[in-house]
Amino acid sequence: MASATTFTMMMHILCLTLCSLSLFCSAFNSQDYSNALEKSILFFEGQRSGKLPSNQRLTWRGNSGQSDGSSYHVDLVGGYYDAGDNVKFGLPMAFTTTLLAWSVIEFGSSMHNQIENARAAIKWSSDYLLKAATAAPNTLYVQVGDPNMDHRCWERPEDMDTPRNVYKVSDQNPGSDVAAETAAALAAASIVFKDSDPSYSAKLLHTAMKVFDFADRHRGSYSDSLNSVVCPFYCSYSGYHDELLWGASWIHRASQNSSYLAYIQSNGHTLGADDDDYSFSWDDKRPGTKVLLSKGFLEKTTQEFQIYKAHSDNYICSLIPGTSSFQAQYTPGGLLYKASESNLQYVTSTAFLLLTYAKYLSSNGGVATCGGSTVTAENLISHAKKQVDYILGDNPAKMSYMVGFGEKYPQHVHHRGSSLPSIHAHPDHIACNNGFQYLYSSSPNPNVLAGAIVGGPDNRDSFSDDRNNYQQAEPATYINAPFVGAVAFFSANPTTK
């Protein structure tokens, strides 16, 4: 027995020595990343609103919101609840759809047996966005549910009895930000379905063009039109210029229609082409637009897009320690840190942009220029990997921030459906106020919201697994969406220099 133990220890020491000497050391292998990919997509089934399909895998969920829109004589059934509540917010849902689609567009070839699940996750929201965009002329339905009333209750989506008010933007009450993001989502989704469902793809793209035209002609922020219904929840702090350029960029990518190239050239400067911005989120699309448009210059040497390559470099350089323009903040454990609330949304979106830009750079052997130094595609991949691995458990707390992944992960997720008994375990209605006992309970969530990535640790790598701490313990669709692409990449490329 002693000799076996000695052998095991020697092998462990040998592995650690080889790992320290090797450039190809990884905390996770291809199977781990494939597991994370499967779970990151599965999470979206826990966020579904509407009538669930027969192949629903998170079976603790049930049908909900089946009459959404009916009192307004429109069909707004379906779509996703954004996070831990029961409201369908249009801006983050559209952004989630765009990022899920972008994940498949760039890294779908690495998704293998998960590609159909990824497409299904996109279609669940693109179907909803199509209905929201085509129900009435010069109108886009952008929200179902009164968030102020919803947040006064802690109840399962299946039990919802809070007002399912419907909110819209129109030519009279514009919302260029949410409309242009919806156009981006529909256009990006059209690329995903171009081969597998050409007629659906054509419908998505046609609708994207109409919604973008509406956003561009009737300019204004949806925050001004809808006020306390969307603020402070998903207030458009960055305005709508970034979404107009983002939306046009996606329709150009999907259609290759020269009129959108002309739009980008004519309007780019007024819509933020010259701005350097360092956060990519449901609110601010500027870094994502720069990277998206840089593809045209890097792969086709489209001179009009050279400016976007230069600004993409500025964004990338800001993230890389040691460069002249480095300005990002990292925790002692190495996690990118942007905000005390839902910080991991910035980590996942940044990791995705790093990998996507690395892919574009690799197409012609390019590098990111940071003053007098350069950063290679390999550097970007390595940097993204540190962030992805941190989320999956390679961090000071040795904790995975993805529910159901690894041995230690959050147990008290701020999520109504996950924290209350399922309707199968407790068929009787649980009223609005009666649910709060489950919010404040110290027991783990009874229903595992597999794949959910929570808000994450603070700037000192500390995490409070407390259901009432929504800043750290609440998942969201837009945290997961770009992570789908990132873990797909690493499932095919688990070792990096």
Side-chain angles (χ1 to χ4, degrees):
M1 188 71 187
S3 61
T5 305
T6 305
F7 176 74
T8 303
M9 287 182 66
M10 286 177 64
M11 287 302 295
H12 184 63
I13 292 166
L14 179 61
C15 287
L16 286 173
T17 305
L18 288 171
C19 188
S20 64
L21 293 172
S22 172
L23 293 171
F24 298 98
C25 179
S26 179
F28 302 102
N29 59 31
S30 179
Q31 190 172 352
D32 295 325
Y33 293 118
S34 295
N35 181 19
L37 171 64
E38 180 178 5
K39 287 183 165 63
S40 66
I41 299 169
L42 180 60
F43 158 72
F44 288 93
E45 295 194 11
Q47 300 303 111
R48 283 174 169 171
S49 181
K51 181 174 172 55
L52 302 183
S54 58
N55 63 353
Q56 170 81 10
R57 293 174 295 165
L58 285 188
T59 53
W60 51 265
R61 278 295 321 279
N63 300 333
S64 63
Q66 292 189 90
S67 58
D68 280 358
S70 61
S71 58
Y72 296 78
H73 308 292
V74 289
D75 173 10
L76 295 173
V77 177
Y80 290 120
Y81 304 117
D82 69 302
D85 57 20
N86 301 323
V87 182
K88 297 193 299 204
F89 291 99
L91 183 57
M93 196 195 307
F95 179 69
T96 292
T97 310
T98 311
L99 269 285
L100 265 178
W102 201 3
S103 288
V104 170
I105 291 163
E106 302 298 349
F107 305 113
S109 61
S110 301
M111 292 183 183
H112 304 301
N113 67 339
Q114 290 304 311
I115 189 66
E116 287 305 320
N117 289 327
R119 285 196 192 112
I122 294 164
K123 195 170 188 294
W124 195 267
S125 50
S126 60
D127 280 352
Y128 172 84
L129 295 174
L130 267 179
K131 292 195 284 188
T134 57
N138 285 320
T139 301
L140 174 68
Y141 289 91
V142 299
Q143 190 165 311
V144 181
D146 179 335
N148 296 290
M149 296 296 287
D150 181 271
H151 291 179
R152 291 178 194 168
C153 296
W154 193 263
E155 62 184 350
R156 304 175 293 200
E158 296 85 359
D159 281 338
M160 258 190 301
D161 47 15
T162 49
R164 298 302 284 171
N165 296 357
V166 167
Y167 304 95
K168 64 185 179 181
V169 293
S170 64
D171 47 1
Q172 301 299 313
N173 293 287
S176 299
D177 27 35
V178 65
E181 182 61 64
T182 301
L186 294 169
S190 78
I191 300 172
V192 170
F193 294 102
K194 193 168 187 177
D195 294 330
S196 60
D197 192 343
S199 61
Y200 182 62
S201 172
K203 185 178 182 183
L204 289 168
L205 184 55
H206 174 70
T207 307
M209 291 173 169
K210 289 183 71 172
V211 176
F212 181 79
D213 183 57
F214 164 72
D216 191 40
R217 275 190 297 115
H218 307 290
R219 292 194 178 190
S221 172
Y222 93 138
S223 301
D224 295 330
S225 295
L226 294 173
N227 300 308
S228 63
V229 171
V230 297
C231 295
F233 314 100
Y234 291 104
C235 222
S236 183
Y237 299 104
S238 69
Y240 60 82
H241 283 175
D242 55 312
E243 277 87 9
L244 285 174
L245 191 57
W246 171 246
S249 302
W250 271 111
I251 298 175
H252 172 255
R253 172 105 176 239
S255 67
Q256 293 301 307
N257 184 319
S258 60
S259 65
Y260 292 94
L261 174 59
Y263 180 93
I264 293 164
Q265 289 174 256
S266 301
N267 297 279
H269 296 294
T270 55
L271 298 180
D274 303 313
D275 301 344
D276 277 320
D277 190 75
Y278 303 103
S279 290
F280 180 45
S281 69
W282 57 262
D283 178 38
D284 196 338
K285 315 300 152 54
R286 284 174 289 187
T289 305
K290 305 291 175 21
V291 170
L292 180 65
L293 291 177
S294 74
K295 183 178 191 286
F297 176 72
L298 288 164
E299 295 184 359
K300 299 176 184 173
T301 327
T302 308
Q303 290 302 319
E304 294 88 348
F305 292 155
Q306 184 173 8
I307 183 177
Y308 298 101
K309 197 275 180 188
H311 284 286
S312 293
D313 284 358
N314 293 346
Y315 168 71
I316 294 300
C317 298
S318 76
L319 299 166
I320 308 297
T323 65
S324 57
S325 47
F326 171 65
Q327 59 169 268
Q329 180 183 347
Y330 291 88
T331 68
L335 181 71
L336 177 69
Y337 188 79
K338 286 276 185 185
S340 59
E341 183 176 325
S342 191
N343 180 61
L344 289 186
Q345 67 176 303
Y346 304 104
V347 180
T348 59
S349 66
T350 299
F352 178 82
L353 287 187
L354 284 165
L355 294 171
T356 300
Y357 197 49
K359 180 183 173 185
Y360 296 169
L361 287 173
S362 298
S363 68
N364 73 348
V367 293
T369 304
C370 304
S373 61
T374 58
V375 179
T376 65
E378 288 76 17
N379 295 144
L380 304 190
I381 293 167
S382 176
H383 200 68
K385 190 173 188 299
K386 288 175 186 172
Q387 302 305 306
V388 168
D389 287 358
Y390 186 110
I391 291 171
L392 294 178
D394 187 12
N395 56 56
K398 301 296 179 221
M399 180 174 194
S400 161
Y401 293 104
M402 175 184 279
V403 175
F405 183 89
E407 294 180 9
K408 182 184 177 187
Y409 53 82
Q411 302 290 322
H412 306 86
V413 181
H414 182 95
H415 187 277
R416 285 159 174 78
S418 174
S419 66
L420 287 146
S422 78
I423 56 162
H424 309 299
H426 189 296
D428 293 341
H429 181 84
I430 301 174
C432 169
N433 290 322
N434 293 349
F436 282 103
Q437 60 179 304
Y438 300 101
L439 169 63
Y440 301 121
S441 164
S442 60
S443 301
N445 286 16
N447 311 306
V448 178
L449 187 60
I453 301 172
V454 296
D458 65 15
N459 62 348
R460 305 294 302 171
D461 301 297
S462 296
F463 177 76
S464 172
D465 189 7
D466 176 355
R467 197 176 294 113
N468 207 30
N469 177 13
Y470 71 89
Q471 294 93 334
Q472 292 190 321
E474 187 170 17
T477 58
Y478 43 86
I479 304 179
N480 270 61
F483 199 72
V484 169
V487 284
F489 173 83
F490 287 118
S491 69
N493 306 275
T495 53
T496 59
K497 291 184 181 180

